[in-house]
Amino acid sequence: MEDLSKVLIFGIDGLQLSQVIPEKMPNLSKLKSRGTFWSEHHSVFPTVTRVNTVSMLTGCNPGTHGLAGNYVVLRDYDPSEVIPLLQPELEEVTAKIGPVLKVPNIVNIIAKYGLKFAAVNIGSTGNAYLHNYDKSPNGIVIHPEFCIPDTLEQDIQDRFGKWPAKTLYDEDRQEKAMEILLSYVLDELDPSVAMFWSNNPDTVQHASPVGGQMSDKALSIVDNQIGKLSRYIDANKNMNILFVSDHGYSTIKDTVNIADNIKKEMVQLIPDIDQILIAPNGGSVLFYINPPDVKVIETLIDYLIQQPWCGNLLTSSKFGDIEGSVDLGITGLEGERSPDLVMSFRWENLMNEFSVPGVAYNSGGVKGNGLHGSMGFSEQHCTLIGFGPDFHEGIEVKIPSGNIDIAPTVLDLIGISDTFKMDGRVLSEGLVGRNLSSSEILKKEIFKERKIHSTQYRQQIDISEYKGSIYIDQGKVF
């Protein structure tokens, strides 16, 4: 293969493009001005981390890759239990049913060409584990709580010392993670594809208002590490970097204990209330009916649309056309492991106390703090900045893009066209020397309505399509 540039995927959990300004993130802002940024970049729905990082590394929507949330029911593993997608649970799933994903990811694909992947991740154990879920020898993952392969953990500790204790800002962990990335992963291992994952500003924004002093401090800490990376790449110019976030953010309008509400208020309507398995995912909720029953779905929808916190509703195509709901397939959620019903909490285009747009109901947290998971505009839109020899310098791309486009673009940058049937596309419009074929940006507005008693429910989902790839702009209800 031709000796092409190496690629670093630099993930910044929960970063909004509006936060990448000189006053908050001077180092990243400088790289943004010297590279290409996509101002219409999209998360996949639900707008939660594990779903989106897997979409980044597979190029596929959740329905295709098989993970619909941070908390899910995997019917091929246990149809009666909601599980968190963390490392211990994922290890158990793998032991019982084999590979947890339904498609290969970047590690699997580049391994066929003898290429290496290496990641340093200080986010959740589930996020890190899913980078190399089948423990390919061509991929390593370094996390404060474990490594892939297992034998690497002691080597990292002997060389770099023990990981600092976890804190809200995780400044010490950020420092150590960057040291490992620069001196070990990039300098010594020199993989074709590397990945770094920062858990902030997400962790802090869950615990404080978005746009407040705590949020800004978290951004500054992350940006200091980007400054170190910037100095490194000035001396190592044959590297392309994709700075990307998994989702945007909103502010919690109020919290809803969705499981308690449904089980208390619907027990008279559904004889076997335990038939409904409920998986809250922040600003969205996944419902699994065990066994599947369209009458239960209809009853549940009638209850939900009468609640002030109910937003967009989507149902699996296996139930046919259900009045008032949108087919999961339209949003990329339909697949072997699809939930039966998905609800996004109601999102509104209002400002919080720091003039940050977007408020929504949430399944947990504290009123006034940050949230994500819903189909709201401020959560569906996130950050993508490309910097390096293969990216144009100083341009804004207004063509829609999404986290499903990361894998095909990374593979293109390292000279691999083996993208099987990915849902995403190569972001050629931001790359130097690529043949650009003209294509129209298609905009779709999907309307559905349903009436029960005196309640008239109306919902709308706005979608952009470009070169066959689908991006959810927002969902709203009236």
Side-chain angles (χ1 to χ4, degrees), residues 40 50 65 114 136 153-154 160 199 212 223 236 242-243 262 276 368 393 411 419 449:
E40 293 293 329
R50 266 142 277 177
H65 64 59
S136 164
E153 187 171 10
Q154 189 61 51
F160 297 98
N199 60 330
D223 193 65
N236 298 269
L242 287 161
F243 295 96
I262 286 176
I276 303 175
E393 184 172 344
L411 292 172
T419 56
E449 60 183 7

Side-chain angles (χ1 to χ4, degrees), residues 80 263 267 270-278 288-291:
S80 65
K263 296 203 172 184
V267 67
I270 298 176
D272 183 7
I273 196 66
D274 292 331
Q275 185 180 0
I276 303 175
L277 299 174
I278 302 170
Y288 301 81
I289 314 304
N290 186 26

Side-chain angles (χ1 to χ4, degrees), residues 353-372:
E353 59 185 303
F354 297 103
S355 299
V356 177
V359 301
Y361 291 90
N362 198 44
S363 57
V366 175
K367 182 178 179 179
N369 288 353
L371 82 114
H372 57 88

Side-chain angles (χ1 to χ4, degrees), residues 380-426:
Q380 285 291 157
H381 288 75
C382 49
T383 302
L384 179 61
I385 299 166
F387 178 85
D390 285 295
F391 289 97
H392 291 294
E393 184 172 344
I395 72 163
E396 173 187 359
V397 175
K398 297 181 180 180
I399 295 170
S401 63
N403 285 337
I404 55 174
D405 302 326
I406 301 302
T409 301
V410 169
L411 292 172
D412 180 83
L413 287 168
I414 61 173
I416 294 176
S417 58
D418 178 10
T419 56
F420 65 102
K421 293 183 179 179
M422 292 185 178
D423 299 315
R425 62 184 182 84
V426 177

Side-chain angles (χ1 to χ4, degrees), residues 89-282:
E89 288 78 10
L90 288 166
E91 293 270 19
E92 292 180 11
V93 171
T94 301
K96 182 176 179 180
I97 67 172
V100 68
L101 299 185
K102 295 295 185 180
V103 295
N105 71 2
I106 275 184
V107 182
N108 310 124
I109 294 170
I110 69 174
K112 294 190 294 184
Y113 299 86
L115 303 180
K116 303 287 188 180
F117 170 94
V120 182
N121 185 313
I122 61 170
S124 74
T125 62
N127 179 6
Y129 180 85
L130 288 165
H131 295 346
N132 188 14
Y133 60 93
D134 63 353
K135 301 187 179 180
S136 164
N138 285 61
I140 73 164
V141 177
I142 301 167
H143 184 273
E145 296 181 36
F146 71 99
C147 287
I148 300 174
D150 298 337
T151 53
L152 183 61
E153 187 171 10
Q154 189 61 51
D155 294 342
I156 294 295
Q157 183 171 312
D158 290 344
R159 177 165 176 177
F160 297 98
K162 291 185 177 180
W163 283 92
K166 182 167 180 55
T167 64
L168 181 63
Y169 292 102
D170 265 340
E171 187 166 10
D172 292 340
R173 282 193 173 189
Q174 294 267 0
E175 291 268 357
K176 183 171 290 294
M178 183 56 66
E179 180 187 3
I180 294 170
L181 175 74
L182 298 181
S183 65
Y184 177 60
V185 170
L186 298 184
D187 267 352
E188 293 186 22
L189 298 180
D190 192 30
S192 296
V193 180
M195 189 167 189
F196 182 92
W197 192 267
S198 170
N199 60 330
N200 269 320
D202 179 78
T203 300
V204 171
Q205 290 179 164
H206 277 300
S208 67
V210 184
Q213 289 185 349
M214 293 175 66
S215 172
D216 287 352
K217 179 179 177 181
L219 294 172
S220 177
I221 290 170
V222 175
D223 193 65
N224 287 340
Q225 301 309 316
I226 292 174
K228 295 177 184 178
L229 175 63
S230 178
R231 291 186 288 275
Y232 176 90
I233 59 178
D234 280 344
N236 298 269
K237 297 185 183 298
N238 193 36
M239 179 183 294
N240 290 300
I241 306 176
L242 287 161
F243 295 96
V244 62
S245 65
D246 44 350
H247 51 74
Y249 250 86
S250 296
T251 295
I252 298 175
K253 180 176 182 176
D254 208 349
T255 60
V256 180
N257 189 327
I258 187 76
D260 278 1
N261 280 12
I262 286 176
K263 296 203 172 184
K264 286 177 183 176
E265 299 183 31
M266 296 194 66
V267 67
Q268 302 301 322
L269 300 174
I270 298 176
D272 183 7
I273 196 66
D274 292 331
Q275 185 180 0
I276 303 175
L277 299 174
I278 302 170
N281 279 268

Side-chain angles (χ1 to χ4, degrees), residues 332-352:
L333 264 171
E334 188 67 63
E336 291 181 47
R337 292 194 181 130
S338 296
D340 297 320
L341 170 66
V342 178
M343 182 195 75
S344 170
F345 278 108
R346 187 186 187 104
W347 181 93
E348 297 172 273
N349 189 23
L350 302 174
M351 301 285 188
N352 75 354

